[in-house]
Amino acid sequence: MPVRFGRFTLDTESRQLRQDDTERHLSPKAFELLRLLVENRPRALSKAELHERLWPSVFVSEATLSSLVAEVRGALDEKAGLEGFVRTVHRFGYAFKGEAAELGLGTRSASDRARCWIVWESGQISLTDGEHLLGRDGDVAVWLESPTVSRHHARIRIAGPQVTIEDLGSKNGTFLRGERLAAPSTLEDGDEITLGSVVVKFRMLGTGESTETHST
C-alpha cells in the first residue's frame, strides 16, 4: 500500500519513490532500506538488524550500510548535517522520523495495481502493467544477487492478462519450464523461471483471487 510523507510517496507494489509527480531513483537495496524504515516507523532498527534484513547471511562492511543511507537521504533531498525523514540513532542504527499516512487502494488507477508477483527465497516483488527488468544491475525491477545472473538478464512485459518473458542475451540463459528461452514466451501462473543459478516463481492474481495465494 502506498505511504505518503511530506511531498513523497513510497509505493512498495510498483517499487517507486515519487516526489509529487516526479519519480526519484533508488537502487534496489536503498529502496528496501527506506521500505524497512517506513514500515517499522517509529521503531529504530539496529545496524545488525538492517544488515540481516538487507544482506542475509552475507558479510558487508558498515560503510556499505552508510552509503545506502546517504543514497536514501539524497533521494529525499536531505542536506548533509540536517536530519530529515531518516533519523540517525547514535551508536545503534536508524529510524524513520515524521508523519506518514497510508493511501487507500481507491486512490490508485487499475494500471498501478499489482497483478503479478515474482517470488523467490529472498522475498517477493509485485509487478504492475509495463516492462520489468530482472538482473543484478541497479536499475532493474527484480534484483537477483548472484554472479550467475547478468546485469540485464531478462525482461517481463505485462499488458493486462497477457504476460511474456524474454531473455536479454544473458550469459547463462533464462529457462522456462526446463527449456532455454530463444524467443519471448508467455508466462502462466505458477511457472518456475531459472536465471543462471537462481530459481524464481511467477504468480498471477486471478479474478476474485486473494493476494494471500502468492506465498511460497
Side-chain angles (χ1 to χ4, degrees):
M1 181 176 294
V3 178
R4 179 79 175 179
F5 52 95
R7 296 174 58 193
F8 296 93
T9 302
L10 182 71
D11 192 329
T12 57
E13 289 195 350
S14 64
R15 294 187 66 81
Q16 289 180 308
L17 172 67
R18 294 187 297 273
Q19 182 178 12
D20 298 327
D21 294 327
T22 303
E23 183 174 357
R24 304 304 301 265
H25 176 73
L26 282 175
S27 67
K29 287 294 186 184
F31 186 93
E32 285 301 304
L33 171 61
L34 180 57
R35 181 186 66 80
L36 287 170
L37 294 177
V38 170
E39 290 184 351
N40 286 277
R41 67 187 187 279
R43 181 172 73 90
L45 302 180
S46 69
K47 293 179 181 179
E49 181 177 354
L50 288 170
H51 274 276
E52 181 58 31
R53 300 284 292 274
L54 294 168
W55 300 280
S57 304
V58 176
F59 173 78
V60 295
S61 67
E62 188 169 315
T64 304
L65 177 58
S66 297
S67 67
L68 278 189
V69 172
E71 182 183 345
V72 169
R73 283 174 166 159
L76 297 176
D77 286 336
E78 297 182 1
K79 300 184 183 300
L82 297 177
E83 202 167 76
F85 290 109
V86 179
R87 178 171 67 91
T88 299
V89 183
H90 188 54
R91 294 185 178 179
F92 181 78
Y94 301 94
F96 181 85
K97 176 184 177 182
E99 296 295 324
E102 295 183 351
L103 304 179
L105 291 176
T107 64
R108 307 175 65 197
S109 66
S111 62
D112 288 334
R113 297 174 187 168
R115 63 176 78 246
C116 306
W117 282 258
I118 295 294
V119 184
W120 74 107
E121 60 179 6
S122 297
Q124 65 180 35
I125 298 294
S126 56
L127 305 176
T128 57
D129 278 0
E131 296 188 354
H132 307 274
L133 294 176
L134 296 82
R136 58 181 179 86
D137 207 351
D139 63 348
V140 300
V142 182
W143 190 71
L144 304 171
E145 190 175 10
S146 170
T148 66
V149 174
S150 298
R151 295 185 181 278
H152 287 175
H153 197 107
R155 174 168 46 220
I156 290 177
R157 284 190 175 96
I158 304 173
Q162 301 299 319
V163 185
T164 59
I165 183 171
E166 64 177 312
D167 183 76
L168 297 177
S170 64
K171 180 179 179 180
N172 294 314
T174 302
F175 294 79
L176 177 63
R177 306 180 199 109
E179 295 188 3
R180 185 165 184 161
L181 292 179
S185 182
T186 300
L187 280 172
E188 299 176 357
D189 181 49
D191 275 343
E192 284 195 347
I193 308 165
T194 303
L195 307 97
S197 64
V198 179
V199 179
V200 302
K201 179 174 286 190
F202 173 76
R203 299 305 310 269
M204 178 181 288
L205 184 64
T207 303
E209 185 180 359
S210 167
T211 56
E212 292 179 357
T213 62
H214 294 274
S215 59
T216 54

